[in-house]
Amino acid sequence: SAPQRWLVAMLRTGHLRDLLHVAAAGAAGPHGTAGHVAAYEKLAEVEKHDVEGFMLACAELLADRSGQPSTRQLAGLLLKNAIGTGAQGSRARSKLARWRGVSMGTRRRLHAAAVVLIVDPADAGVRRAASLCAACMGAADVPAGLWPELLPALASVSVRADVAQASEALQALAFLADEWPLPGLCE
């Protein structure tokens, strides 16, 4: 489709990475910049046109070890926000419905990326962003039986000798507890 071709073209040219870089750089300042605001607006437009492509692109940029840490972290936070934000009420139901519309193939790719990145040795901020993403996905998919591997994977990492990785796995479990849906939310 045209929106998918547009997104693929953005990825091939590095435009999405550039938008994330501008957005991350502007976010570092006290008040942001016009470029920062425009970058966020363009990112929102990309997400609106192709949410699955946007999610996969954010996951790819989060996983890109050659990227700047602030850009990788922002990609993770945008992915988390695209999945869901922990909001209550109609916004939460809307995000959950949108997540349920994401294909299982895409979800599996996002699941796998999040678990791998929780143990990323390079950057604590990337690990934290991955933990937040895993929690958002897990809050919807674990109770539905669509991601039975998450809790055992996090438990396994939490007993590793590497303290930073074990700590992040435990933090992911804490985030998951915060995101876990209230009774009736998933019905």
Side-chain angles (χ1 to χ4, degrees):
S1 72
Q4 288 174 335
R5 286 191 300 271
W6 178 61
L7 183 63
V8 168
M10 287 183 73
L11 290 173
R12 286 191 181 139
T13 63
H15 189 62
L16 192 59
R17 180 184 315 276
D18 293 343
L19 284 173
L20 282 167
H21 180 69
V22 169
H31 303 290
T33 64
H36 164 251
V37 172
Y40 270 108
E41 289 172 352
K42 192 61 150 175
L43 289 165
E45 187 179 334
V46 172
E47 179 184 356
K48 181 181 174 185
H49 285 296
D50 182 7
V51 71
E52 283 192 45
F54 180 78
M55 289 177 177
L56 288 169
C58 285
E60 181 179 312
L61 293 171
L62 176 63
D64 181 5
R65 291 194 175 152
S66 69
Q68 293 184 357
S70 60
T71 302
R72 293 178 70 198
Q73 292 168 27
L74 180 58
L77 294 176
L78 289 172
L79 173 58
K80 178 204 74 93
N81 290 341
I83 296 164
T85 61
Q88 300 298 316
S90 63
R91 183 166 185 223
R93 286 188 291 278
S94 173
K95 290 276 188 170
L96 182 61
R98 184 169 88 161
W99 175 248
R100 286 181 175 161
V102 172
S103 73
M104 282 308 301
T106 296
R107 284 197 216 186
R108 285 187 190 101
R109 288 173 63 189
L110 295 171
H111 291 168
V115 171
V116 166
L117 290 169
I118 287 172
V119 296
D120 186 302
D123 189 271
V126 170
R127 289 192 301 270
R128 182 57 42 95
S131 293
L132 289 164
C133 292
C136 282
M137 291 183 284
D141 290 350
V142 170
L146 300 174
W147 196 7
E149 308 84 12
L150 177 62
L151 296 177
L154 293 175
S156 172
V157 172
S158 71
V159 296
R160 287 189 178 171
D162 185 292
V163 174
Q165 292 176 352
S167 176
E168 200 57 54
L170 291 171
Q171 187 63 55
L173 287 166
F175 289 146
L176 181 59
D178 286 343
E179 293 284 334
W180 208 269
L182 299 172
L185 180 63
C186 292
E187 297 166 0

